Amino acid sequence: MFSNNQKISIRQIRRLLILDLFGLSSLLLPGLLAESAGPDGVTCIVLAVICAIAYIWVLGKVLNRMEGDYYSCLKKLLGSFVSDLLLIFYLFFFLLLASFVLYQLTSLVRAWLLPGGPYGWICVLVLILAGAATVRGIEGRARIYEILFWFLMIPLIFMMVLASKGVNMNYWTPIFNTSWEGLRMGTIRVFVFFLPVFFILFLKPYCASPRKLCRSARWAVVITAGLNVLIFLVLLGNFQVKTTISLERPVITLMSMVKLPGGFFARLDAFMTAIWFFSLFALMNTGVFYSSHILKELFREKRTHYGLVLALVVVYGLSQWFFQYHNADMVYSWYLKYIALPVLVILPVLLWAALALKQAIGKERKQV
C-alpha cells in the first residue's frame, strides 16, 4: 500500500519539473531559436540556463526564509489585500498557461493522432482527465509520472540517436554570427520556457525535503536544456535553419521521418507523439492544479471542488480563444514577455529583500 499524505519526494519533484519544462519547450523552441539566432541557438540555451540558475538561487533565498506555504508568507508580509492581488496575478498566469498548453496538446492530437477530430470534444476529454488527476492530489500525479518518466525518455533518446545518422554538421555553421539583438531575443525566449521553475514556491508544503527543492529545480533545468540542445542540433543537422523555422512542430516532423531497423511501427510518428502528449498534459495539469488551489484560497473554499470546476471551464474557454483567434499566440507571447516575465523575476527579488529585512529587524529586537 502507498501512503497518502500528499507529500512527494525530491526525485518525483525533479521528474515532474523536467516534464513541465520539456514538453512545450522541445515542441516550440527549435523554430523560435532558429528564427532568432540560427545555429547560435545553442549559445542562447546556455545563456538562459545561467539566468535560470541565478533565478533559482533567488527563489531559494525566498524559500529558506518562508514560514509555512507561499500564500501564508505573502499574507504575513504584505497583508491580505496585496497578497490576494498577487494570487490573482498567479491565477491568471496558471489559467493562461493551462489554456495555451491545452490548445497545443489538442492541436497535436488533431494533427497526428485524430486528423480533423472535433477540437471541442478532445478538449473536454483531456480536461476531464485533468480534473480527475487534480482530485487525486499531487501525490497521485507524481507517482504516475515517476513511473512513466523513463518510458517517455528512453524512446526519445533512442529516436534522437537514430535521427542523428542523417545529420550534416555543416548545417551547424556559421557560429557566433548572430547579432547581439538576436542573442538577447533567443535567450529571453528560452528563459520564458524555464519560468515554470518558480513552481517550487508553491511546492514547499508538498515536498518531503523542502531544503532540496532548489537542487531539484537546477537539475531539471540542466537536463531539459541538454535535451533541447540535442533536439535543436539534430533538427538543424537534418533540416537546416530555414526549414526548421518553417515547420510548425519540427521535432514531430523529424520523428515521422525516422525509420526503425526492420520496418517496425509504420506509424512511428503517432507512437512518438505520446511523449509530447504526456509531457504537455503534465504541464497543463499543473496549471489546472494550482489554479484550483488559488481559487480555493481566494474564496476560502475548503472541502468542495467548485474552484476546480471553475478553473476547468475557464481553461476550456480560453483554449477556444487560442483555437479561433489567429493572433492569440502573439497576444500570449506579448503577455509573457512584457508582463509575466518581469513580474515573476522581480517579485522574488523584492520578497527576498523584504524577508531579509524583516529577519534582521527581528534579530535586533531580540538583542534589545
Side-chain angles (χ1 to χ4, degrees), residues 145-202:
Y145 277 98
E146 183 182 23
I147 296 170
L148 283 176
F149 183 80
W150 287 115
F151 286 100
L152 301 178
M153 290 296 113
I154 290 175
L156 171 68
I157 295 170
F158 177 65
M159 294 303 296
M160 285 295 111
V161 171
L162 290 181
S164 66
K165 294 180 179 179
V167 166
N168 184 342
M169 289 188 288
N170 291 324
Y171 296 164
W172 295 349
T173 57
I175 57 173
F176 305 119
N177 194 43
T178 305
S179 66
W180 286 108
E181 178 61 23
L183 286 174
R184 185 187 70 85
M185 180 61 67
T187 302
I188 290 174
R189 283 177 164 175
V190 179
F191 184 71
V192 165
F193 284 99
F194 289 155
L195 273 181
V197 294
F198 85 86
F199 294 172
I200 61 176
L201 292 174
F202 293 88

Side-chain angles (χ1 to χ4, degrees), residues 61-125:
K61 295 297 183 181
V62 176
L63 281 169
N64 290 338
R65 289 173 168 82
M66 269 174 50
E67 296 179 3
D69 59 37
Y70 187 47
Y71 177 66
S72 299
C73 173
L74 291 175
K75 194 172 181 179
K76 290 177 182 177
L77 196 63
L78 304 173
S80 296
F81 179 73
V82 176
S83 60
D84 284 349
L85 286 179
L86 289 175
L87 279 190
I88 290 171
F89 164 78
Y90 283 119
L91 173 65
F92 191 61
F93 176 86
F94 284 125
L95 289 173
L96 272 177
L97 175 66
S99 305
F100 180 70
V101 176
L102 176 61
Y103 160 67
Q104 291 292 335
L105 190 156
T106 307
S107 299
L108 185 69
V109 170
R110 295 179 76 241
W112 296 95
L113 299 179
L114 296 172
Y119 180 89
W121 281 110
I122 296 173
C123 285
V124 168
L125 292 174

Side-chain angles (χ1 to χ4, degrees), residues 264-324:
F264 296 105
F265 292 109
R267 286 297 312 278
L268 188 61
D269 55 328
F271 173 74
M272 295 303 296
T273 300
I275 293 174
W276 281 271
F277 177 89
F278 285 111
S279 299
L280 291 173
F281 181 81
L283 181 56
M284 187 211 69
N285 196 191
T286 299
V288 171
F289 177 81
Y290 288 125
S291 298
S292 63
H293 278 258
I294 289 174
L295 285 168
K296 282 186 176 182
E297 290 288 351
L298 289 173
F299 294 110
R300 311 297 185 259
E301 179 190 346
K302 297 299 181 182
R303 297 182 179 179
T304 63
H305 295 296
Y306 297 132
L308 172 59
V309 173
L310 179 58
L312 292 174
V313 171
V314 173
V315 168
Y316 175 82
L318 288 173
S319 72
Q320 288 286 346
W321 174 66
F322 279 111
F323 179 65
Q324 297 179 16

